[in-house]
Amino acid sequence: MNYEKELKRLNEYQREAVLDESDACVVNANVGSGKTTVLISKIVYLHYAKDISYKDMIVLTFTNKAANEIKERLMASDESIKAEELEGFGTFHSVALHLLKEVLPIEKIRYEKDFLVIEPDEELDIALQIIQEEKLKIKYKNRLKKRLEQAMIIEKEEEKISTYDDDIFKLAELLKEEKIKQNKMSFSDILQNANLLLGEHKIEPKWIIIDEVQDSDKIQLDFIDKLKGENTKLFAVGDPNQVIYSWRGSSLNVVYTLKHKYNAKELSLPINYRSSNAILEAARCFQQNGSLLMGARETENKIIVKNHYNPFNEACYLVDKIKEIHKSGVPYKEIAIFYRLQDQSQVFEDVFLKNDIPFEVSMKKTISHSPVLNWMIKLFRFCVNPNDFSSAIYVLSNKEYGEKITEKTARKIVKEQNIIKSELLEKMHEFLNKCSEIKIAEEIYNYFEFDKYIKPTSATYIDDKEAIDALLDIIIEYVKEKQMPFLDGLREFINSSALYGVNILKKDISSDIDSVKLMTLHASKGLEFSYVFITGVNYGLIPLHTRDMEEEEEQRLFFVGITRAKDYLELSYYTNPDYQKAAPGESRYIHMIPEKLIQNDKVKNNNVNLQELKKQIQEAKAKGNKEEISANEAVELPVVEEINEASIKQVSHKKYGTGKVLKEDDMMIEVEFEKYGVKEFIKAFSELEFL
DNA sequence: CGCATGTGGATTTTT
DNA sequence: TCCACATGCG
């Protein structure tokens, strides 16, 4: 094995991390510093130099993508690895799932080995059914999910008093019982139950290696802690500058916590191999963590700052720009466009489609996003598990597909197993006996006579049929690959599809496809591109303001976006944004970048697209919009746009009339109105018009 | 059913 | 801030 050769290729910091032997070690890995390379080298080094079997290592990541990348790169570097040796390699959830299925004494918590994993929606369905059956009094059912989550956290009996005087705690308990009865676990149950059992039943691997630790939440940290034995060594890699998911529970000081809890040694990987100097220098302006960020590349390319009249104009500009870049020999896949909000992609999609620019939008669409497939999966769920009443009721009483009977009758016939009343229920019951000989997808389709239940007359019929065919093919292939009897294969497929999501609706977003990538700043984490356009760097949009937002996180998000760029970075803002949240003018973040790094391509006479303007005006009129824009005013707007920071801003409010701005920051604005006195507004919500 | 009052969400997303 | 939605009373 040539791991020694690999080691020589690393820089001194990387090598130190790989060779480190402390009981616990946290590596502060900067953006683009070869974090994955270090992880893989570490694993290979431990295996070959320290003679540690892959089976004695647990390697944890947060996404399947990251897990697959590690596994693939490992298998590529060492052909002797067998897939089953890497069972401890994967996401937190998949490793916990594996432990529950194969190692831990799951019967102690009254589950059976063949339990199913359910998605949040299904858990909610079960909860709603319990409410109905037990006639519970639950208020605010529209917020049920959140309320249940909160109820679960409270453990002390005496504190279990509902704020709304209803049965929420009783429901939480019944739900827990019902899930055990139906042998189902939600995503969070997987980790929680694993934690519960690991307290008694020790695994004690020799090494625990964690990627992107900064994203861990409390349960995940607990999982690490429970997994770790006396002699287990810990190696964690992460970057405190890339914490952009604290809103979904990752604690901010994970690195600090680990350091103190396990007395961990702290190392760092300071050298960035990805970006050009100007990009790195700009990125440093948004770095909060004081760690060193060193560049390794000589190229000096300025950062472009541009303004556009509105998103539509920008999309048109980008079409030309992308074509120009592509002509110069850059493949489309090296170009990416980032934005803050999902909605912002629409304009780009429309304009690119019209102008033949190949593109992909990064949005996860899996089975649960397709109503038919969702329905069909529930159908199979009941087929393989006849106790799964909730799925059967869903299948029979769905409003789009199936027999469309009322929920009440559906519940009745399912409970009574009254197959005479429902042909579809009979088919599902009989499927167990008839499916053993199934070899091709068509047999399943014909057995159920799906045409009957998805209706050839409906508008979505063609898409639905295609989706069903695709899923059936995938199932058949899956079963063939596993070399299992059809029923076992189907059961396992349904079990895993919930956790891994099968990409049926979306073409592979693999970087092989040569297309421009459109995504939110959040989705860009972990990727890199030669050309990066960050759009809508507007006042009010980046940073996006809400009441309890942590400003710092928005800065880190912008940092992540900037550091995706290898060679070319263009920031743009709108002078007349269509989005409600955005105010005209550039974000404060643009001023945080030193001017010497910036090439300001401010367009004075914006070539306003007249046709688009006309359309907008017509739309505005059609809506009976209060702010009637006359064609003249609108055309003048981009020229009028001149931000005069020094002068006192005059504003008008639809209720309070005109007034002058007293105080203004990113969040709040204070205005003294002529007739109403001083009022304070949260900027993102105030409909103030700047005069 | 109509109306007054109460409540919290607004944005990002993985398993 | 402003909106949607749920609740509860008459």
Side-chain angles (χ1 to χ4, degrees):
Chain A
M1 184 58 204
N2 49 2
Y3 77 90
E4 278 163 336
K5 220 159 77 191
E6 288 270 335
L7 276 183
K8 278 195 190 118
R9 270 198 281 163
L10 302 175
N11 70 38
E12 52 178 313
Y13 302 99
Q14 294 173 323
R15 206 170 312 125
E16 194 187 348
V18 170
L19 299 179
D20 185 79
E21 301 229 0
S22 13
D23 288 342
C25 174
V26 190
V27 180
N28 250 316
N30 261 316
V31 274
S33 59
K35 174 186 57 119
T36 315
T37 309
V38 167
L39 264 180
I40 287 160
S41 304
K42 179 99 191 173
I43 295 165
V44 172
Y45 169 78
L46 287 176
H47 184 70
Y48 282 94
K50 297 284 151 188
D51 204 25
I52 289 167
S53 143
Y54 292 121
K55 284 184 173 172
D56 285 326
M57 300 181 206
I58 299 266
V59 178
L60 299 169
T61 64
F62 283 85
T63 61
N64 284 308
K65 205 178 147 197
N68 290 336
E69 197 193 335
I70 289 176
K71 281 194 241 179
E72 268 163 36
R73 276 172 70 170
L74 255 180
M75 305 250 242
S77 77
D78 180 355
E79 282 172 7
S80 66
I81 300 179
K82 290 183 198 104
E84 59 264 32
E85 284 182 280
L86 303 183
E87 276 176 333
F89 289 47
T91 60
F92 277 87
H93 289 85
S94 66
V95 171
L97 181 65
H98 171 247
L99 291 178
L100 288 171
K101 289 256 171 195
E102 312 291 337
V103 187
L104 295 168
I106 195 173
E107 57 286 347
K108 277 193 182 164
I109 49 168
R110 294 182 289 140
Y111 271 98
E112 284 162 44
K113 286 281 178 206
D114 62 345
F115 68 87
L116 289 177
V117 179
I118 54 170
E119 298 211 19
D121 280 353
E122 199 180 331
E123 190 175 18
L124 215 58
D125 282 349
I126 297 173
L128 288 170
Q129 265 177 45
I130 294 172
I131 293 174
Q132 238 176 40
E133 272 162 35
E134 303 285 323
K135 298 203 166 53
L136 295 180
K137 184 179 153 203
I138 298 289
K139 289 184 180 174
Y140 293 105
K141 286 204 204 64
N142 57 331
R143 289 196 285 271
L144 185 59
K145 206 184 148 197
K146 201 150 206 188
R147 294 202 58 208
L148 271 173
E149 262 167 41
Q150 279 169 1
M152 301 283 205
I153 297 168
I154 300 167
E155 282 180 1
K156 284 185 199 146
E157 282 301 321
E158 62 268 30
E159 279 168 31
K160 290 192 174 179
I161 300 156
S162 169
T163 7
Y164 306 115
D165 183 32
D166 62 5
D167 301 324
I168 190 76
F169 288 105
K170 202 171 162 197
L171 175 65
E173 238 162 78
L174 286 170
L175 179 62
K176 211 173 152 191
E177 278 304 310
E178 187 61 27
K179 279 190 288 187
I180 292 171
K181 204 172 134 202
Q182 294 193 21
N183 211 16
K184 286 174 175 174
M185 283 192 207
S186 70
F187 290 133
S188 55
D189 291 338
I190 295 174
L191 281 178
Q192 265 160 11
N193 289 332
N195 283 348
L196 210 66
L197 292 171
L198 280 170
E200 301 271 304
H201 189 104
K202 284 282 172 204
I203 300 287
E204 307 208 5
K206 288 191 177 137
W207 278 86
I208 300 175
I209 295 166
I210 311 146
D211 188 17
E212 309 252 30
V213 248
Q214 81 277 1
D215 285 333
S216 329
D217 63 23
K218 237 187 120 208
I219 302 176
Q220 283 155 339
L221 287 177
D222 199 29
F223 182 65
I224 297 168
D225 197 51
K226 293 268 162 61
L227 214 49
K228 192 178 176 313
E230 288 269 309
N231 301 310
T232 304
K233 293 194 177 190
L234 194 76
F235 182 76
V237 183
D239 182 1
N241 286 304
Q242 289 190 71
V243 178
I244 56 173
Y245 286 119
S246 64
W247 46 271
R248 61 170 203 225
S250 76
S251 35
L252 270 166
N253 299 316
V254 175
V255 176
Y256 179 87
T257 316
L258 285 179
K259 235 176 97 178
H260 283 257
K261 200 168 180 181
Y262 304 114
N263 195 19
K265 186 170 174 184
E266 195 177 359
L267 295 175
S268 66
L269 304 175
I271 302 174
N272 176 300
Y273 292 98
R274 182 188 293 148
S275 310
S276 75
N277 279 332
I279 293 170
L280 274 184
E281 205 166 316
R284 276 188 209 109
C285 305
F286 300 95
Q287 224 187 351
Q288 291 148 354
N289 192 276
S291 74
L292 234 50
L293 177 58
M294 297 195 280
R297 294 182 48 188
E298 294 288 314
T299 45
E300 199 59 63
N301 228 349
K302 288 208 169 184
I303 294 165
I304 315 290
V305 174
K306 251 192 161 55
N307 61 339
H308 298 280
Y309 179 65
N310 65 12
F312 179 80
N313 273 317
E314 171 161 49
C316 295
Y317 156 81
L318 281 173
V319 167
D320 293 337
K321 184 82 187 175
I322 289 167
K323 281 189 174 156
E324 185 192 315
I325 296 168
H326 187 63
K327 248 187 201 158
S328 74
V330 179
Y332 286 123
K333 65 178 179 188
E334 282 296 331
I335 305 169
I337 297 165
F338 301 158
Y339 36 81
R340 178 60 236 257
L341 306 177
Q342 295 275 17
D343 293 352
Q344 290 173 258
S345 72
Q346 199 56 53
V347 197
F348 299 124
E349 287 177 56
D350 295 345
V351 175
F352 287 7
L353 198 67
K354 248 184 225 156
N355 290 282
D356 300 318
I357 302 260
F359 68 90
E360 277 173 284
V361 188
S362 132
M363 260 207 274
K364 212 196 158 190
K365 278 195 176 152
T366 51
I367 287 176
S368 59
H369 293 91
S370 156
V372 231
L373 297 186
N374 215 6
W375 175 80
M376 202 170 80
I377 288 287
K378 290 243 159 85
L379 184 144
F380 284 136
R381 284 223 148 144
F382 182 69
C383 289
V384 295
N385 178 12
N387 295 322
D388 190 350
F389 290 164
S390 61
S391 292
I393 294 165
Y394 178 92
V395 170
L396 295 179
S397 65
N398 188 284
K399 288 191 177 68
E400 301 289 322
Y401 309 101
E403 294 179 336
K404 303 181 194 173
I405 54 183
T406 61
E407 224 184 295
K408 229 178 173 177
T409 8
R411 184 168 297 118
K412 214 178 146 200
I413 43 182
V414 170
K415 285 267 153 78
E416 292 168 2
Q417 310 222 355
N418 198 340
I419 51 173
I420 305 149
K421 290 234 170 97
S422 163
E423 201 186 350
L424 187 55
L425 185 67
E426 189 185 348
K427 279 181 191 162
M428 290 195 281
H429 265 294
E430 291 293 304
F431 190 68
L432 280 172
N433 308 322
K434 302 236 167 111
C435 69
S436 52
E437 284 139 56
I438 281 169
K439 294 253 153 43
I440 54 170
E442 230 185 325
E443 287 176 69
I444 308 176
Y445 198 96
N446 292 337
Y447 172 81
F448 282 107
E449 296 173 272
F450 278 129
D451 274 343
K452 226 189 213 168
Y453 302 117
I454 63 172
K455 288 229 171 136
T457 46
S458 84
T460 53
Y461 173 72
I462 294 171
D463 289 342
D464 287 349
K465 187 168 167 20
E466 250 172 50
I468 288 184
D469 285 342
L471 183 62
L472 289 177
D473 282 339
I474 288 173
I475 293 173
I476 295 282
E477 207 165 295
Y478 182 92
V479 176
K480 252 186 214 158
E481 218 169 86
K482 294 265 166 179
Q483 297 186 320
M484 284 177 172
F486 182 80
L487 197 67
D488 295 338
L490 181 64
R491 189 175 283 128
E492 200 178 297
F493 177 82
I494 283 168
N495 197 4
S496 64
S497 70
L499 193 57
Y500 300 115
V502 176
N503 299 329
I504 287 182
L505 305 162
K506 135 195 123 169
K507 287 162 239 146
D508 260 14
I509 193 122
S510 67
S511 46
D512 305 342
I513 297 172
D514 191 27
S515 62
V516 177
K517 305 287 186 283
L518 302 176
M519 63 186 82
T520 60
L521 285 166
H522 282 88
S524 75
K525 191 170 167 232
L527 306 174
E528 59 172 34
F529 303 93
S530 280
Y531 288 75
V532 167
F533 297 83
I534 303 183
T535 66
V537 190
N538 266 69
Y539 213 86
L541 204 52
I542 296 178
L544 184 78
H545 294 296
T546 57
R547 187 201 300 251
D548 49 24
M549 242 323 287
E550 272 188 71
E551 223 293 312
E552 289 174 343
E553 181 136 326
E554 291 286 305
Q555 247 186 66
R556 290 192 294 266
L557 184 62
F558 198 58
F559 174 83
V560 167
I562 290 176
T563 51
R564 301 305 99 197
K566 287 195 269 192
D567 310 299
Y568 181 94
L569 176 65
E570 186 172 316
L571 310 173
S572 72
Y573 60 94
Y574 307 116
T575 50
N576 186 32
D578 303 341
Y579 311 109
Q580 294 162 343
K581 311 220 176 260
E586 70 268 45
S587 159
R588 171 171 74 78
Y589 285 3
I590 286 177
H591 298 296
M592 282 168 69
I593 303 169
E595 256 176 72
K596 64 172 170 100
L597 300 173
I598 292 177
Q599 182 189 326
N600 212 329
D601 282 6
K602 206 167 184 175
V603 185
K604 290 257 159 50
N605 258 327
N606 225 327
N607 46 337
V608 176
N609 187 316
L610 277 172
Q611 266 187 331
E612 170 66 10
L613 253 178
K614 261 186 203 159
K615 211 177 86 194
Q616 282 183 2
I617 292 157
Q618 275 166 1
E619 274 172 7
K621 274 187 181 158
K623 276 185 203 158
N625 218 324
K626 287 157 241 159
E627 325 143 42
E628 274 185 26
I629 330 157
S630 84
N632 286 335
E633 269 172 7
V635 177
E636 275 166 22
L637 253 172
V639 192
V640 172
E641 180 270 323
E642 259 176 60
I643 304 146
N644 228 332
E645 293 285 5
S647 70
I648 300 164
K649 280 185 189 162
Q650 291 279 329
V651 293
S652 92
H653 186 271
K654 65 180 176 191
K655 194 168 155 196
Y656 301 128
T658 55
K660 63 183 177 194
V661 177
L662 294 179
K663 224 166 77 189
E664 183 180 4
D665 57 30
D666 278 338
M667 181 89 137
M668 305 294 294
I669 183 162
E670 209 178 299
V671 183
E672 186 179 6
F673 290 101
E674 283 151 16
K675 286 172 191 155
Y676 288 85
V678 181
K679 299 268 175 196
E680 218 180 4
F681 302 92
I682 292 176
K683 229 172 181 177
F685 301 110
S686 66
E687 276 169 22
L688 290 173
E689 214 174 309
F690 288 83
L691 302 173

